[in-house]
Amino acid sequence: MNISVVVHGDDGTVVDRLESHRGVLTVARTCAEIAEVIALCETGLADAAILAGPPEEVETHDIDAMIERGVPVVVLCDDAAQGKRLAAAGAYVAATGTPAAELGILVGRARAELGHREHAPEPVQPGEPAGGGTPKRAGIVVFWGPVGSPGRSLLALNYAVECALDGKDVVLLDADTYGASQAVQLGLLDEAAGIAQICRTVDSGRFDATKLERSCAPVVIAGARMRVATGLPRASRWPELRPTALRRAVLALQEGCDMIVIDVAAALELDEELSFDTAAPQRNGVTAAMLRIADEIYAVGAADSIGVPRLIRALEEMREVLGELEVKVLFNKVSAANVGASPRQALAETWARFGPDVPVAGYLPHDPAAVDAALLAGSALAEIAPHSGLRVAIAALAGHKIKAKMPLLRRFAPSM
């Protein structure tokens, strides 16, 4: 086996070491600029990149650019702090004096591990320590669904609130690159976009959960506190959300909370590269990246004659684009007016006949009065309409048991 490598920032010692060893690594080119290394990765000339220059000059987005082109990155570094930063960014880190034989083994392992994940557009974190202690890991719940406003954002917010009321430390992320709405639902005037600040923090090489949480606005609803990373106030700012950066941010946040709830956009097609000669930013890459790392995915569909077919087609598209993912269906806005008599039974029969093999996790009642009141107040159902049927159903979905308020029966005195 022969592996072609591009070496950056070398003073000649690394190349001499590799060529004198005559092992599996063959030096295809030496480069003085990172941009040149990325260009060579684009051409397919490099099977791997070895960065031997000053580690502080290696940026996270540069590592992303190489890994996104299928080229693993090995950084030679003796500084522990820089090594930790680069490993968290997705690079393999080795000491500057590592023998050529060990570098060959490391590069071979890096290529093998990256090859197992070629289906994913975003890089993984191969530099994570193996066999270490088990850190705290929050669950990731993603609310997704087809176009047509089925209620993804509403359910994501209220689900997060119910988890917070159940005593969990919750972070809500608005990752909708087309129409972010969590700030509006909560009455927050936020032009800074907490989700974009999180990505910038990761791009600067800081992966500490505490630092990332500072970009999330604290919100108190019905006595429960949670944190919210607000979305982009203008859809044109979508390039600020790089899938790789947001993915790393979520993985870092998992160490500091109990639950991460993510609201994503509907679109899934990843065909932006067809319009460009080189790799281009992908607006829908954020949705794809969040769905791939989710522990639970709720596909939200409107319970009507338009919403159900849209949901079926969207799930088929998800399977085509992302492969087999474990998904649960939520029918929202369930009412007899939309579906007919016995709406739950009708939906269940329709889904069993026409829908894909995806379980239905819940049927959420249509309660426009409670939803409108909560939106007008900039709050959640738990605070504005705590006994509404919709709030009770969402709480049950989140595992927060509450009881619906029973209507009072008026007593009449017996007639004489």
Side-chain angles (χ1 to χ4, degrees):
M1 180 180 65
N2 189 23
I3 302 175
S4 298
V5 297
V6 175
V7 180
H8 166 263
D10 180 35
D11 59 1
T13 57
V14 176
V15 173
D16 291 343
R17 196 185 316 159
L18 295 177
E19 291 183 344
S20 61
H21 176 67
R22 298 186 181 277
V24 296
L25 301 184
T26 300
V27 179
R29 190 78 61 85
T30 59
C31 305
E33 301 292 337
I34 286 286
E36 187 179 356
V37 177
I38 297 173
L40 290 171
C41 294
E42 183 70 37
T43 64
L45 179 64
D47 296 323
I50 297 178
L51 309 184
E56 61 272 10
E57 295 181 3
V58 181
E59 300 291 345
T60 298
H61 59 82
D62 293 329
I63 296 175
D64 286 347
M66 298 176 212
I67 298 180
E68 286 169 357
R69 290 158 175 81
V71 177
V73 180
V74 174
V75 181
L76 303 183
C77 174
D78 293 326
D79 184 276
Q82 289 292 338
K84 183 178 180 181
R85 175 183 72 87
L86 295 168
Y92 289 78
V93 180
T96 55
T98 302
E102 294 183 18
L103 280 178
I105 295 173
L106 181 60
V107 170
R109 178 164 64 91
R111 291 188 69 233
E113 292 188 3
L114 184 62
H116 288 310
R117 291 176 282 256
E118 286 180 348
H119 65 280
E122 74 279 353
V124 296
Q125 297 189 54
E128 290 178 340
T134 302
K136 181 178 181 180
R137 184 181 184 276
I140 301 173
V141 181
V142 176
F143 284 83
W144 169 83
V147 297
S149 300
R152 297 182 303 269
S153 300
L154 171 74
L155 297 185
L157 169 61
N158 285 278
Y159 183 92
V161 170
E162 296 302 333
C163 290
L165 288 170
D166 201 29
K168 296 183 177 67
D169 187 1
V170 181
V171 175
L172 173 62
L173 304 180
D174 191 344
D176 191 333
T177 54
Y178 287 83
S181 61
Q182 294 300 341
V184 176
Q185 289 191 107
L186 291 169
L188 300 175
L189 298 177
D190 187 4
E191 285 291 322
I195 197 79
Q197 291 184 43
I198 283 177
C199 290
R200 287 194 292 270
T201 300
V202 169
D203 281 337
S204 67
R206 291 172 289 174
F207 301 94
D208 182 75
T210 302
K211 294 179 180 177
L212 293 173
E213 288 170 3
R214 292 173 184 168
S215 300
C216 304
V219 175
V220 178
I221 297 178
R225 184 182 184 274
M226 66 179 191
R227 285 158 292 170
V228 180
T230 53
L232 301 173
R234 292 182 296 279
S236 59
R237 291 177 58 182
W238 67 266
E240 296 180 34
L241 300 189
R242 292 194 312 108
T244 49
L246 187 57
R247 178 185 182 278
R248 290 198 187 100
V250 172
L251 295 178
L253 284 169
Q254 281 187 290
E255 300 179 9
C257 62
D258 301 316
M259 180 72 66
I260 300 174
V261 181
I262 308 176
D263 175 19
V264 297
L268 286 174
E269 59 272 16
L270 300 176
D271 59 355
E272 289 91 334
E273 65 271 15
L274 299 179
S275 303
F276 298 88
D277 295 330
T278 60
Q282 293 191 345
R283 186 173 191 173
N284 303 332
V286 168
T287 297
M290 296 301 99
L291 290 172
R292 285 193 175 103
I293 64 174
D295 297 308
E296 278 190 297
I297 301 172
Y298 287 109
V300 182
D304 54 43
S305 56
I306 296 177
V308 174
R310 280 179 173 173
L311 180 59
I312 292 173
R313 289 193 293 269
L315 287 170
E316 292 173 350
E317 182 184 2
M318 172 189 277
R319 182 170 298 177
E320 293 173 0
V321 175
L322 303 178
E324 296 292 337
L325 295 177
E326 188 173 341
V327 183
K328 299 176 184 178
V329 166
L330 287 177
F331 284 117
N332 192 27
K333 306 176 184 179
V334 177
S335 70
N338 290 335
V339 184
S342 303
R344 292 186 56 163
Q345 180 180 347
L347 287 168
E349 292 175 353
T350 300
W351 193 253
R353 183 177 179 183
F354 300 106
D357 186 19
V358 177
V360 179
Y363 301 85
L364 308 179
H366 191 35
D367 194 346
V371 171
D372 290 345
L375 182 60
L376 182 63
S379 187
L381 294 170
E383 190 167 62
I384 303 303
H387 302 291
S388 69
L390 179 57
R391 188 265 166 136
V392 172
I394 297 174
L397 187 68
H400 183 209
K401 303 298 182 181
I402 59 173
K403 292 183 179 180
K405 186 175 182 180
M406 300 299 294
L408 297 176
L409 298 179
R410 185 176 180 182
R411 291 190 174 187
F412 294 92
S415 57
M416 298 298 293

